[in-house]
Amino acid sequence: SEGGGEGAKTSRSALVVEAEGTRFKKKKLGEEDIEIMRRLDVCTKEDRYEEALDLLRRLKQRMEVSSVKSKNKLLLGRYHQVLFLCAQPGRVDTLEEIMQMLEDNYHERDYYERSIGVRIRAYSLNGQKGLDKALELYEDLKNNKAIDPDRRIYSALLKSCRENKRWREGVRLFYDARDINILWTDTELETLIKTADEMNGDPEMIHDFTKDIFHDLVNHLSVVGESLRGALSTHFSRLGYTIYPALVAKLDGRLYDQDGNLARHQGNNFSHSSEKISSAAHELFGKGEMSDVLTIPSFEMDNSFIELLKEELLQPTDPHLTEKKYKEKVASFVRKLENEKGAEIWIDAANVGYFKQSGKFSYNQVDTVYRHFKSIYNKTCLVLNENRVHWPYSGSKRKGEAIVNRWKEDGALFPTPTGMNDDHFWMYGAIRSANDFKHHNQARKYPEREPESRVYLVSNDLLRDHRFRLAHDVRFFKFIQAHTIRFRLTPEAEGEERRASLESKGDRGKRSRGIKQNALRFFLPFRYAIGPTFKDRIWMFPYIPEDSTLHVKDLYKNVDTRVPDTDDDYLPPLPEDVAERVRWLVCAPPPELESLFYPSQ
């Protein structure tokens, strides 16, 4: 709602109130009651705190004499609306007034779950005494097994502990949150880093606390925000590090300055500004080797990540698929994968086959891509649903049967069972292959590449369906971005496609022929992962530049080059476009440092 007053636009919540009013009119909910609730919704949304509180009191008085059967339910929702506004400094008195109203009129089970978080956050904003009350409520919440504290509660408590110099409580809260797998954002990580910088006490405890903070930073974030970037610069400057801001990464991982010069770290030219800083740094850092050319390390998977994916990916998505049938088909796929010893290239055949084919599947297009990569890499595999590679009836239309038989003869075809997601299988195959081929599979036509695990996926899939299944684990996205080859039409084919599109407006049949089968070009991914990383005692933090209009959530969206109302809206950005969107803050230590600070595994 905008503007407020009589001329205010009606918000969505106000429309809900209007619907409620219509529903309860027959039960004597008056027009004035409906208007009060509508205005209360507007005030809540616009944070007009005093006016919202006054309206709540008026509504309470009217409901006390109302005969509407659902008045308690209606009023309870409004209590929670105004209660939410109390999670700001100086509003504890109002919070306590509303809580008293709730206690007088409702059973605790009716309001506890929705109010406890707001109460903790509100009290934490009001000095030492408020923090004491907030921690008391927090302990009560912990003992209530029905619900867990959420990230917002921990964020407020950590900030209050830092501001009130209650270091030990802050450390305890941090480890409590880790026990229930809270995912941190920039806000909490900035508070934690500043807490570690400011606290005093047992050096070993501070060391372990700081190490665990950076472990979470690496595993929870893809890019750091502006405020956190400042906190990181301050943290490492205090320890005597050299700070390299605003570096640009190329696809090979090497970093360059804004003038295009290769960034190098000459550690032997740096000296500490004071013995105190040097001694503090020695407490946190250990032995390691210096790197001259600043390079982002290539992304390698840890064992816990591999086990997570193996457990999560090969699960049935069809509820009608029986456990026995599901296990047999998965076992068959895994057995074939072990017999074939994996592959360097895993092609998402469905994604490739439908690309620019006007809704039809092209076996020829998939085969063209297969033969292209087979000529370059040692082993190439295709993953395709079994319905597209088996023809049970002699009279059925066997489109592409000769091509499929050739794939089978090559040992390249991995059929996936109906009722399960094809994507999970080619991701699983690539992950297993990457693990098995580590340090052994250098591509024949790329001798300049290091003999590391370079397994690639070939797909334009955005993989948005898998983020919730994998609990927002950033390692999943790091793996995908560091291992997926994207493809597009060649410039000539783009011109033909555009002309065909113009000619066929209003006549879909003219576009059914699709594109030429050799009209694709391929783009290798960057070899690293965009995320906080560590190499040779050097820390590297990616961030979105201040002058960019791009939001962090849009980093992997095709927002720069997409053509509206075309298939380009649904394509991922090319690797070089993603790399160009990011800048890197690099923090490199001087050679005098002898201790190694590395995030625990």
Side-chain angles (χ1 to χ4, degrees):
S1 177
E2 300 175 1
E6 296 297 325
K9 296 180 180 178
T10 304
S11 67
R12 183 177 181 276
S13 55
L15 291 173
V16 172
V17 173
E18 191 168 359
E20 288 175 345
T22 303
R23 179 181 173 189
F24 291 112
K25 259 183 183 178
K26 294 180 181 179
K27 298 181 180 180
K28 301 181 182 179
L29 184 66
E31 292 291 341
E32 187 172 349
D33 298 325
I34 297 172
E35 179 60 25
I36 290 174
M37 286 190 286
R38 183 183 292 111
R39 288 173 59 193
L40 181 56
D41 287 344
V42 172
C43 292
T44 303
K45 185 172 182 179
E46 296 182 350
D47 195 21
R48 285 150 48 187
Y49 164 67
E50 297 290 349
E51 188 178 347
L53 183 59
D54 181 61
L55 288 167
L56 179 65
R57 290 172 181 145
R58 287 176 56 193
L59 186 63
K60 178 179 179 295
Q61 292 173 355
R62 293 184 62 83
M63 287 297 177
E64 285 175 350
V65 298
S66 173
S67 60
V68 175
K69 291 183 179 179
S70 299
K71 63 181 181 180
N72 287 340
K73 184 177 179 182
L74 283 171
L75 191 57
L76 181 62
R78 272 66 201 180
Y79 279 134
H80 286 135
Q81 282 180 243
V82 181
L83 194 66
F84 183 80
L85 299 182
C86 294
Q88 294 189 36
R91 297 182 180 178
V92 169
D93 290 343
T94 304
L95 172 77
E96 292 176 345
E97 177 187 345
I98 297 173
M99 288 307 303
Q100 189 61 54
M101 292 179 185
L102 288 169
E103 290 170 9
D104 292 344
N105 295 281
Y106 299 92
H107 192 281
E108 187 180 36
R109 66 171 178 266
D110 295 328
Y111 62 80
Y112 180 85
E113 186 171 341
R114 291 181 64 183
S115 68
I116 185 67
V118 175
R119 293 159 66 194
I120 292 173
R121 298 201 305 273
Y123 281 116
S124 69
L125 295 167
N126 289 272
Q128 292 280 5
K129 290 185 178 180
L131 179 56
D132 288 336
K133 179 65 175 177
L135 290 172
E136 180 185 326
L137 291 169
Y138 167 73
E139 291 299 328
D140 180 58
L141 177 59
K142 275 180 61 182
N143 294 329
N144 185 330
K145 303 299 183 183
I147 55 174
D148 284 326
D150 61 19
R151 180 190 57 79
R152 293 181 300 171
I153 289 174
Y154 283 111
S155 183
L157 289 173
L158 288 169
K159 182 179 179 182
S160 184
C161 285
R162 175 181 167 247
E163 291 172 346
N164 291 287
K165 296 180 170 49
R166 304 270 286 272
W167 315 122
R168 291 195 177 276
E169 283 98 332
V171 172
R172 180 173 61 85
L173 288 164
F174 170 69
Y175 286 107
D176 283 353
R178 291 183 107 213
D179 288 342
I180 58 173
N181 299 315
I182 294 293
L183 292 177
W184 302 120
T185 66
D186 280 44
T187 303
E188 296 81 50
L189 289 166
E190 179 185 354
T191 298
L192 289 164
I193 289 169
K194 289 180 177 179
T195 298
D197 286 345
E198 295 165 3
M199 68 189 298
N200 41 37
D202 179 10
E204 186 175 348
M205 184 272 288
I206 297 174
H207 169 270
D208 291 341
F209 177 52
T210 308
K211 179 180 69 173
D212 290 336
I213 293 169
F214 276 85
H215 174 270
D216 285 0
L217 188 149
V218 168
N219 287 311
H220 293 188
L221 296 185
S222 292
V223 294
V224 302
E226 181 64 26
S227 186
L228 178 56
R229 179 161 61 101
L232 290 166
S233 295
T234 301
H235 173 79
F236 284 103
S237 296
R238 185 182 65 85
L239 296 170
Y241 271 49
T242 304
I243 308 300
Y244 298 88
L247 298 182
V248 180
K250 301 299 182 184
L251 294 184
D252 61 3
R254 288 185 294 179
L255 290 161
Y256 294 78
D257 62 24
Q258 295 295 308
D259 297 325
N261 301 313
L262 191 65
R264 297 176 180 273
H265 174 60
Q266 302 293 342
N268 57 347
N269 292 332
F270 184 83
S271 60
H272 291 293
S273 57
S274 73
E275 291 184 5
K276 183 177 180 182
I277 290 179
S278 177
S279 127
H282 277 278
E283 290 294 329
L284 283 175
F285 295 78
K287 292 184 179 179
E289 296 181 1
M290 298 302 299
S291 175
D292 182 23
V293 177
L294 294 175
T295 306
I296 307 169
S298 57
F299 179 70
E300 295 293 337
M301 298 173 294
D302 60 69
N303 290 331
S304 64
F305 172 62
I306 294 171
E307 292 305 315
L308 169 71
L309 289 176
K310 284 161 66 175
E311 178 183 341
E312 291 291 332
L313 286 176
L314 298 190
Q315 297 294 328
T317 55
D318 186 346
H320 302 294
L321 194 64
T322 64
E323 184 176 356
K324 181 179 179 182
K325 189 174 182 181
Y326 144 70
K327 286 185 175 180
E328 288 175 355
K329 294 195 174 189
V330 169
S332 175
F333 181 90
V334 174
R335 193 162 50 247
K336 178 176 173 61
L337 178 61
E338 291 173 348
N339 291 338
E340 297 292 338
K341 305 300 181 186
E344 291 178 306
I345 297 292
W346 287 84
I347 298 174
D348 178 5
N351 185 270
V352 171
Y354 280 110
F355 180 69
K356 297 292 184 181
Q357 293 297 318
S358 300
K360 295 186 177 182
F361 183 83
S362 171
Y363 288 92
N364 286 325
Q365 181 157 289
V366 177
D367 190 50
T368 300
V369 173
Y370 166 69
R371 286 185 282 108
H372 169 80
F373 285 104
K374 184 184 175 185
S375 68
I376 299 174
Y377 291 90
N378 295 323
K379 185 70 179 292
T380 298
C381 287
L382 304 109
V383 174
L384 189 60
N385 189 276
E386 60 186 358
N387 288 335
R388 292 201 173 275
V389 298
H390 295 152
W391 290 270
Y393 307 110
S394 59
S396 62
K397 187 177 181 181
R398 299 188 172 187
K399 203 170 188 179
E401 184 177 7
I403 294 174
V404 170
N405 287 337
R406 178 159 44 80
W407 294 342
K408 290 179 179 178
E409 291 170 4
D410 290 349
L413 183 62
F414 280 72
T416 64
T418 302
M420 298 188 68
N421 195 321
D422 296 359
D423 296 346
H424 293 176
F425 284 86
W426 53 260
M427 283 189 285
Y428 179 87
I431 290 161
R432 279 289 300 266
S433 297
N435 193 44
D436 295 342
F437 286 177
K438 205 168 185 179
H439 308 300
H440 293 292
N441 73 330
Q442 189 173 16
R444 291 200 303 264
K445 292 194 177 180
Y446 294 97
E448 72 280 3
R449 292 191 178 278
E450 298 174 12
E452 58 181 274
S453 170
R454 296 312 296 168
V455 170
Y456 293 107
L457 309 163
V458 181
S459 178
N460 275 333
D461 199 319
L462 296 169
L463 298 173
R464 290 174 294 196
D465 298 338
H466 312 295
R467 66 180 66 201
F468 296 105
R469 190 180 185 94
L470 294 170
H472 293 277
D473 195 311
V474 296
R475 292 171 296 179
F476 170 70
F477 297 101
K478 288 178 180 179
F479 175 81
I480 293 301
Q481 296 302 327
H483 289 265
T484 304
I485 296 174
R486 304 299 189 183
F487 52 90
R488 294 288 192 274
L489 294 176
T490 61
E492 296 79 11
E494 284 179 354
E496 290 182 17
E497 171 74 3
R498 199 171 293 112
R499 285 192 296 274
S501 177
L502 292 173
E503 291 171 2
S504 63
K505 277 193 175 180
D507 185 357
R508 295 193 174 192
K510 289 187 178 180
R511 295 190 65 196
S512 61
R513 59 186 176 84
I515 62 170
K516 293 181 179 178
Q517 306 308 322
N518 59 351
L520 298 178
R521 50 183 175 154
F522 302 94
F523 300 85
L524 285 172
F526 33 79
R527 302 178 61 198
Y528 52 90
I530 293 180
T533 189
F534 181 91
K535 178 189 178 185
D536 296 335
R537 303 163 60 202
I538 297 175
W539 279 97
M540 304 174 183
F541 303 98
Y543 64 93
I544 305 293
E546 288 182 75
D547 57 356
S548 173
T549 58
L550 198 71
H551 296 288
V552 171
K553 63 182 178 64
D554 297 325
L555 178 61
Y556 296 111
K557 291 183 180 178
N558 193 12
V559 295
D560 292 337
T561 57
R562 68 185 180 90
V563 180
D565 301 320
T566 68
D567 290 344
D568 288 349
D569 286 350
Y570 306 100
L571 294 176
L574 296 177
E576 54 262 39
D577 295 331
V578 176
E580 184 59 35
R581 294 171 179 177
V582 172
R583 296 293 179 269
W584 292 80
L585 168 71
V586 176
C587 306
E592 296 94 317
L593 282 168
E594 295 177 356
S595 93
L596 174 65
F597 177 40
Y598 189 77
S600 60
Q601 297 302 319

